[in-house]
Amino acid sequence: MQLNPAQNNAVHHVSGPCLVLAGAGSGKTCVITNKIAYLIQHCGYKARHIMAVTFTNKAAKEMKERVGKIFGKQELRGLTISTFHTLGFDIIRREYKILGLKIGFSLFDAEDQMSLLKSLTENTIEGDKGLLKQLFCKIASWKSDMLTPAQAKILVTGKQDQLFAQCFSLYHKQMKAYNALDFDDLILMPVVLLQTNQEVRERWQSEIGYLLVDEYQDTNASQYQLIKLLVGERAYFTVVGDDDQSIYSWRGAQPKNLLTLNQDFPNLKVIKLEQNYRSTSRILRAANILIANNPHVFEKTLFSERPNGDMLKVLKTNNENHEAERVVSEIIRHKFMNGTNYKDYAILYRGNHQSILFEKVLMQNRIPYKISGGTSFFSRVEIKDIMAYLRLLTNQDNDNAFLRIVDRPRREIGSVTLEKLGLYANMRGKSLFSASLEMGLQQHLNGRSLGSLQRFTRWILELFEESERGNAVEAIRLLVRDYRYEDYLYETASSVKVAEMQMKNVSNLYSWIVAELEGDNYNNEPQTLHEVVQRLTLRDMMERNEKSVDADQVQLMTLHASKGLEFAYVFLIGMEEGLLPHQSSIDEDNVEEERRLAYVGITRAQQEMTFTLCEERRQYGGLIKPMPSRFLEELSCNVEWEEKKQPQTQEERITKGSAAIANLRSILKKS
DNA sequence: TATAGTGTTATTTTT
DNA sequence: TAACACTATA
């Protein structure tokens, strides 16, 4: 592959810190993979001394594939390409003794955190969902700013924040008692460790000869610290990012880290990639003129040598039904005229709920489509249940997992029993599991409840011992055999079909776990049950065999989900004030991020770009007349408005038709 | 312990 | 409005 001069510079600058400002479609992944190749082939780096960090497993996987195409397996041995969180997890796993952790620690996902917080704040917040969410965010932000509960308490002003700091402290203590870590801890603990322990720091710094970071604009404060600590004084690293595509500030990303880098490393080499290989010149010009309305730290102007291309189109429709029908009939027409494939078309939107109507219309027209997002494999109830069993199996102190599954399937362990158990455990500072086995409990519970409770805990204990003896596979087999989850699914599911699906998910998960435990999965080493369960929470294995079937389907997804992808023909729907920019962003005076969101959407398009908006829209029960999005205005002369009203939607015709028939009938009856 | 009735709330989401 | 979570009730 031929690199342009800027890309070449980015690849060849290896003697110090390097920031690559990679505009949309400028070939940044190409630069990273080529740089890894260059480091190995021309700079004498061993693969195991190179580390590349991304944000998602998907991105890591893609990078591995692309590097794999350049090299053979042998040369790549030891090369690390992982996510921030997996990297942190690996550091913790190797240093757990110094960190004072027990090896079987549990990883808590957002849902676990939430239910823990809920139980900790039963008396103070009393299940107020809004407040609970605020608390959750507050703790996350304290953690990403690397504050301990004690520090937070001192810094905090205002009554509510004081309460929150109190909860933070409780949360912290409880997590320790559970021997559990949350996702933020996976970054935070390595940072603190590397800061305070010189020996460990030097060991890791010498181990990592060169560090590459993708999507750098999405890093938060603690992730940046981790980078800094890992590269050390020598600062041999390359970060790649684009401040115009920073769309995750609501998740703690700090695009100002681009600027900080400039200050922290005075010899930072900044290289801009400004040639776009994706879109037509027209689309690019439109994107440039839109994003020019945002302030910039580093100015950059993308250009394309591709032909000018069509104007960007705006379709104004009557209402949201027309919007969907217009777009779908446009796709049908366009496909027919140009002999394209369905997968060349993407429908992008701000919020997930916008997809529903499009889904309906696509279905009516028998057009294959794919919606990205929605409930992922791991947020399905049946998978969460199984995971809870496994987590309890690897760490009995995990009360969260315990509570989720003690009575699922039914074991006649009701809320009263659990409440008494909770009280007992709380007084003695024990976990629910270990408390349930204590003799003293007899005074608080009647024989029957105690019996069913202990039957459960003893069973788990047996399985635990089995897996500790090295027979994890056998333990899992017994688990499946004895707890009759299948029956439970069939009893509780709304239909047989649903239950069948759920059971299929469960058995998929099982075969995966067994394969990982035995180590015959993609010639990986056998893993302990601890490792398998921890990695599953990080979702770091499932994706490996998830074949992305390249089916010919129209692609529907949110703007956020579209980042990094490209499509020949893009529809960006709902270009209205209140939707894009979203109302809450207008209220919070953060239209800039919405503009970047629109920018991301436009720069996905290779050939043609179409916007739609409605005259009227149903919202929260009422009918509103939205204003066109300010972004359409900003695109100015690059867009062409086409106002063509459709008489009626299919549905309106039908309902009106049947109303007329009913009317006729009633008239006939009377006469 | 199911079920109907009531209330609440409408962004983006990965690890 | 519609979808969801939660609660009172038989």
Side-chain angles (χ1 to χ4, degrees):
Chain A
M1 162 114 194
Q2 198 64 33
L3 297 176
N4 69 33
Q7 289 175 327
N8 252 313
N9 285 341
V11 169
H12 294 146
H13 184 82
V14 294
S15 54
C18 180
L19 165 62
V20 181
L21 289 165
S26 63
K28 71 172 172 136
T29 313
C30 177
V31 164
I32 296 179
T33 48
N34 274 284
K35 190 150 192 171
I36 293 172
Y38 181 76
L39 287 165
I40 294 173
Q41 288 171 333
H42 299 282
C43 307
Y45 279 94
K46 289 261 163 39
R48 74 186 131 88
H49 288 139
I50 297 174
M51 164 160 280
V53 185
T54 65
F55 273 85
T56 63
N57 289 314
K58 196 176 144 214
K61 185 184 147 208
E62 193 193 326
M63 199 174 288
K64 273 180 206 162
E65 271 165 15
R66 288 179 63 166
V67 178
K69 277 185 189 151
I70 307 177
F71 288 104
K73 271 227 165 82
Q74 270 304 309
E75 291 164 289
L76 283 181
R77 262 222 319 214
L79 174 71
T80 324
I81 299 179
S82 74
T83 66
F84 266 105
H85 294 271
T86 308
L87 168 62
F89 175 69
D90 287 336
I91 296 176
I92 291 171
R93 223 160 36 109
R94 279 187 29 201
E95 314 289 350
Y96 73 93
K97 275 190 185 145
I98 303 175
L99 287 164
L101 286 166
K102 286 174 269 174
I103 189 63
F105 59 85
S106 299
L107 280 180
F108 271 29
D109 63 15
E111 221 168 301
D112 296 324
Q113 287 182 67
M114 217 42 179
S115 64
L116 173 57
L117 285 175
K118 201 174 169 188
S119 73
L120 288 176
T121 58
E122 251 161 10
N123 303 317
T124 45
I125 291 181
E126 294 176 338
D128 183 320
K129 259 164 86 193
L131 268 182
L132 214 53
K133 220 171 187 175
Q134 276 183 47
L135 172 62
F136 180 86
C137 293
K138 197 79 205 177
I139 289 177
S141 94
W142 276 327
K143 283 197 161 195
S144 84
D145 290 341
M146 294 164 292
L147 293 174
T148 63
Q151 288 168 320
K153 248 181 224 168
I154 297 166
L155 272 170
V156 119
T157 53
K159 208 154 191 166
Q160 190 177 69
D161 276 2
Q162 268 169 2
L163 173 65
F164 283 178
Q166 185 67 38
C167 298
F168 182 26
S169 164
L170 275 174
Y171 172 79
H172 192 77
K173 269 188 210 133
Q174 196 53 247
M175 287 294 277
K176 211 164 200 175
Y178 286 172
N179 194 26
L181 303 181
D182 60 30
F183 286 129
D184 298 322
D185 291 328
L186 293 181
I187 312 293
L188 193 56
M189 296 192 76
V191 167
V192 174
L193 177 66
L194 292 170
Q195 269 171 349
T196 51
N197 191 318
Q198 191 188 351
E199 186 269 321
V200 176
R201 183 169 64 240
E202 281 169 1
R203 184 149 44 81
W204 279 91
Q205 284 179 354
S206 68
E207 200 150 308
I208 297 172
Y210 203 96
L211 182 73
L212 300 107
V213 181
D214 193 15
E215 304 283 12
Y216 176 72
Q217 76 282 350
D218 289 340
T219 51
N220 65 25
S222 55
Q223 283 158 344
Y224 177 54
Q225 279 312 309
L226 186 59
I227 295 171
K228 255 177 90 173
L229 287 161
L230 287 174
V231 299
E233 289 282 302
R234 224 164 47 114
Y236 280 6
F237 68 84
T238 297
V239 301
V240 183
D242 180 6
D243 46 340
D244 289 332
Q245 291 186 72
S246 153
I247 52 175
Y248 285 107
S249 70
W250 51 276
R251 217 164 66 187
Q254 301 197 353
K256 71 167 190 204
N257 281 345
L258 286 163
L259 190 65
T260 319
L261 207 60
N262 224 351
Q263 292 155 359
D264 287 356
F265 300 93
N267 60 333
L268 180 75
K269 171 107 173 165
V270 181
I271 295 165
K272 295 177 192 176
L273 304 184
E274 293 177 297
Q275 179 164 6
N276 171 294
Y277 295 94
R278 180 185 294 154
S279 313
T280 64
S281 301
R282 176 73 74 179
I283 290 170
L284 216 54
R285 232 176 298 148
N288 276 335
I289 199 169
L290 174 76
I291 207 66
N293 289 289
N294 273 3
H296 284 88
V297 181
F298 305 96
E299 285 299 334
K300 67 179 184 318
T301 313
L302 287 178
F303 67 95
S304 169
E305 285 176 0
R306 303 201 45 202
N308 207 14
D310 289 349
M311 291 278 260
L312 287 72
K313 278 195 287 286
V314 181
L315 305 180
K316 191 167 187 178
T317 57
N318 294 353
N319 57 44
E320 68 271 24
N321 292 313
H322 286 146
E323 186 184 35
E325 291 193 355
R326 251 339 281 280
V327 170
V328 173
S329 64
E330 189 59 28
I331 290 175
I332 295 169
R333 188 194 63 83
H334 193 277
K335 180 175 186 292
F336 181 72
M337 302 282 283
N338 299 280
T340 51
N341 295 310
Y342 284 124
K343 65 173 178 224
D344 299 329
Y345 301 87
I347 301 172
L348 307 181
Y349 37 82
R350 176 70 236 258
N352 278 313
H353 62 276
Q354 287 173 272
S355 69
I356 301 166
L357 277 172
F358 285 78
E359 211 179 336
K360 206 175 95 189
V361 177
L362 285 163
M363 202 138 53
Q364 279 167 358
N365 287 280
R366 308 272 157 88
I367 295 176
Y369 63 90
K370 192 195 167 191
I371 299 188
S372 316
T375 37
S376 75
F377 185 75
F378 285 92
S379 41
R380 291 163 206 260
V381 269
E382 67 274 19
I383 298 304
K384 293 228 96 185
D385 284 348
I386 305 302
M387 289 298 293
Y389 271 102
L390 294 172
R391 287 148 144 217
L392 190 62
L393 210 51
T394 53
N395 175 10
Q396 281 86 46
D397 292 338
N398 188 340
D399 284 356
N400 242 333
F402 181 90
L403 284 171
R404 185 176 178 104
I405 45 115
V406 246
D407 201 34
R408 191 180 306 188
R410 284 275 120 76
R411 293 190 183 88
E412 296 181 303
I413 301 168
S415 51
V416 183
T417 311
L418 287 175
E419 211 153 288
K420 284 182 185 156
L421 175 65
L423 215 62
Y424 182 88
N426 228 338
M427 300 239 287
R428 272 146 255 250
K430 296 246 169 175
S431 69
L432 295 174
F433 190 95
S434 52
S436 73
L437 291 166
E438 281 192 6
M439 293 316 277
L441 199 57
Q442 278 177 339
Q443 271 131 43
H444 303 266
L445 286 175
N446 64 44
R448 201 176 136 194
S449 347
L450 189 69
S452 28
L453 185 64
Q454 291 192 337
R455 216 172 306 131
F456 171 73
T457 45
R458 290 221 182 92
W459 174 59
I460 294 286
L461 208 58
E462 258 168 53
L463 295 175
F464 171 70
E465 279 160 5
E466 186 70 33
S467 83
E468 284 297 283
R469 261 179 259 133
N471 304 330
V473 180
E474 177 63 9
I476 301 261
R477 201 185 64 79
L478 289 172
L479 178 72
V480 184
R481 196 194 62 186
D482 290 342
Y483 82 147
R484 310 182 67 75
Y485 190 66
E486 189 162 5
D487 296 346
Y488 168 76
L489 283 182
Y490 279 95
E491 275 163 34
T492 51
S494 53
S495 75
V496 179
K497 260 220 144 86
V498 171
E500 272 169 6
M501 247 252 307
Q502 291 180 320
M503 205 47 220
K504 215 175 120 196
N505 284 331
V506 171
S507 44
N508 274 345
L509 183 64
Y510 275 130
S511 34
W512 248 104
I513 292 166
V514 170
E516 287 291 321
L517 287 170
E518 289 174 339
D520 61 347
N521 224 7
Y522 295 82
N523 4 306
N524 283 310
E525 305 282 300
Q527 300 200 34
T528 67
L529 189 59
H530 291 152
E531 286 169 333
V532 173
V533 172
Q534 288 162 344
R535 291 225 176 260
L536 272 174
T537 314
L538 277 171
R539 295 141 173 65
D540 188 22
M541 49 169 49
M542 298 305 283
E543 272 128 309
R544 239 178 285 156
N545 83 333
E546 198 184 275
K547 297 169 226 109
S548 53
V549 233
D550 256 317
D552 188 25
Q553 297 168 320
V554 173
Q555 304 290 312
L556 281 83
M557 68 191 79
T558 64
L559 286 163
H560 284 92
S562 76
K563 194 168 110 182
L565 305 174
E566 57 185 17
F567 310 94
Y569 312 104
V570 172
F571 293 85
L572 179 41
I573 64 173
M575 288 298 286
E576 296 151 26
E577 286 290 304
L579 262 177
L580 185 69
H582 195 273
Q583 189 57 48
S584 49
S585 292
I586 298 174
D587 297 340
E588 285 159 33
D589 199 23
N590 187 21
V591 179
E592 281 166 24
E593 181 142 322
E594 300 287 312
R595 190 175 283 112
R596 290 194 288 268
L597 221 32
Y599 175 80
V600 166
I602 296 169
T603 51
R604 298 310 95 201
Q606 298 166 317
Q607 303 281 338
E608 289 173 33
M609 180 74 216
T610 309
F611 303 96
T612 63
L613 72 160
C614 300
E615 195 113 295
E616 287 181 335
R617 187 183 286 278
R618 209 159 258 293
Q619 201 179 35
Y620 308 148
L623 203 61
I624 54 159
K625 287 193 187 297
M627 298 277 289
S629 168
R630 66 190 76 183
F631 303 145
L632 288 174
E633 179 84 9
E634 291 170 8
L635 290 165
S636 70
C637 57
N638 292 298
V639 296
E640 195 172 59
W641 288 65
E642 184 192 43
E643 294 194 40
K644 196 168 81 189
K645 285 186 187 161
Q646 290 201 328
Q648 277 172 352
T649 68
Q650 222 174 11
E651 202 170 314
E652 276 162 10
R653 279 195 297 273
I654 292 168
T655 48
K656 276 192 187 154
S658 56
I661 291 169
N663 201 18
L664 210 63
R665 278 209 184 115
S666 71
I667 293 168
L668 284 172
K669 246 184 203 166
K670 272 177 202 162
S671 65

